[in-house]
Amino acid sequence: MNIPAHQLVDYFADAPLLFVDSYSNSITMDSNWTPSYTAADSCSFVLTSGGSAVVTIDGELYKLEPGFILHTPSKRKLNIQVITAWQYTVLNYRNLESNHHPFSLSEQSFVLYTGKQADLQQQLDALLNLYQQPAPITRIKAKASFFLVLQHMLQAAQQQARMKKSELMQQAVEFMHQHYHQPISVTEIAQIIGIERRRFAYLFERYTGMTPNHYMTSCRMKRSRELLRAQHYTVAQVAELVGYHDSFYFSRVFKKYNGMPPTDYRRQVSAHYSL
């Protein structure tokens, strides 16, 4: 299940959480691991510190390695397939108001992608150290440490989500620069990038300051001015080369963006260079 990082932040900001316990474990490739169940009375975050494994919960496969954090609800059957010797830490907690409601995010399996975070691992090691000490005051500190770890996980997931969006928008920009000469639509670009059209248009405008249609037209107009200055092509040929099969429509768009028809632009450029 894929849940946006901002939605998880909103959820966990309001959820009344109770830290239960924490422990670390490791499984080697030759271990005889049989199917088991998640904790009976708590939800869990599973953080990988080394190696990798594929965990199956409710028929869903999750590949776990450093930088990927699995959230599991309680009382769910799971199966673990170790890929390389797997070291992991489990943080168990309860949501005091979820009451195992099927639509509560605490009752969903999902993965947070945080990237490899050295600071997060340090905080996790500190939590484990506190929890293992018998003194009551250190157990109180472990509870506080749990919320610091949760905060760091969610912040890292938000940062990775923002970086992913920027990467996707840069891919869209590069795609437009490479394919401006084709009659491609915003919907087709959104499908290629893998984002719903309205969401894509929103993110693209935030990234570039221009709508996708405006950006694509700007690319075409820039190239058309270069071709007109070259004096080697007719207006109809220029229109075709920048993705317009209707030269009359191209001329109207060109005039709107450049303040004059393409023939006048070519004439003005020619007069300038002949001086």
Side-chain angles (χ1 to χ4, degrees):
M1 184 175 186
N2 184 21
I3 302 175
H6 67 86
Q7 185 177 342
L8 291 172
V9 171
D10 291 343
Y11 175 78
F12 284 109
D14 297 328
L17 306 183
L18 174 66
F19 172 63
V20 176
D21 59 25
S22 180
Y23 64 89
S24 291
N25 195 13
S26 61
I27 308 175
T28 60
M29 293 183 63
D30 55 357
S31 297
N32 293 321
W33 189 265
T34 58
S36 60
Y37 290 84
T38 59
D41 59 352
S42 59
C43 308
S44 307
F45 287 104
V46 182
L47 298 89
T48 299
S49 56
S52 60
V54 174
V55 176
T56 305
I57 302 177
D58 296 333
E60 292 288 332
L61 299 178
Y62 300 95
K63 183 177 180 181
L64 302 184
E65 55 192 6
F68 291 85
I69 300 173
L70 174 66
H71 178 273
T72 69
S74 61
K75 299 180 181 178
R76 299 297 174 87
K77 185 177 181 179
L78 60 80
N79 186 67
I80 300 174
Q81 177 186 355
V82 175
I83 300 174
T84 57
W86 186 42
Q87 300 89 47
Y88 63 96
T89 299
V90 176
L91 303 179
N92 290 321
Y93 76 93
R94 294 193 191 103
N95 182 345
L96 300 181
E97 287 185 353
S98 69
N99 296 321
H100 302 291
H101 193 286
F103 297 109
S104 166
L105 290 186
S106 291
E107 293 304 310
Q108 306 296 327
S109 297
F110 57 84
V111 167
L112 278 172
Y113 177 61
T114 62
K116 295 181 181 180
Q117 300 280 332
D119 292 346
L120 176 58
Q121 187 60 50
Q122 291 173 1
Q123 289 182 351
L124 190 61
D125 292 341
L127 189 160
L128 286 167
N129 182 57
L130 288 168
Y131 182 73
Q132 291 167 0
Q133 297 181 33
I137 191 64
T138 58
R139 300 293 289 272
I140 294 174
K141 290 180 179 180
K143 292 181 180 181
S145 182
F146 166 75
F147 287 100
L148 288 175
V149 171
L150 178 61
Q151 174 189 338
H152 197 129
M153 287 192 303
L154 294 172
Q155 286 179 328
Q158 281 188 312
Q159 181 182 16
Q160 292 297 326
R162 286 193 293 268
M163 291 173 61
K164 180 64 174 177
K165 290 173 186 175
S166 295
E167 290 174 2
L168 290 174
M169 292 308 101
Q170 184 57 38
Q171 288 178 23
V173 167
E174 292 174 359
F175 182 85
M176 290 183 181
H177 282 284
Q178 295 169 2
H179 300 274
Y180 66 86
H181 57 287
Q182 299 174 352
I184 192 166
S185 68
V186 174
T187 299
E188 290 172 314
I189 297 173
Q191 289 174 345
I192 291 168
I193 298 300
I195 303 178
E196 188 273 329
R197 187 194 184 285
R198 291 185 180 179
R199 179 67 174 165
F200 168 70
Y202 169 76
L203 293 174
F204 189 89
E205 186 166 3
R206 290 196 62 180
Y207 183 74
T208 65
M210 303 168 68
T211 67
N213 276 325
H214 189 186
Y215 193 91
M216 177 67 86
T217 302
S218 294
C219 290
R220 288 168 171 165
M221 291 300 102
K222 179 181 178 182
R223 181 55 178 158
S224 66
R225 290 192 297 270
E226 294 172 351
L227 293 171
L228 288 168
R229 287 196 296 268
Q231 304 288 330
H232 300 313
Y233 306 99
T234 66
V235 170
Q237 289 172 327
V238 170
E240 187 80 18
L241 287 169
V242 297
Y244 295 96
H245 295 301
D246 185 338
S247 61
F248 293 103
Y249 177 70
F250 163 72
S251 295
R252 290 199 301 271
V253 175
F254 188 94
K255 182 177 180 180
K256 178 181 178 181
Y257 275 79
N258 299 280
M260 64 183 73
T263 51
D264 290 353
Y265 178 83
R266 168 171 280 168
R267 190 179 302 113
Q268 184 183 83
V269 170
S270 179
H272 174 77
Y273 281 105
S274 65
L275 294 177

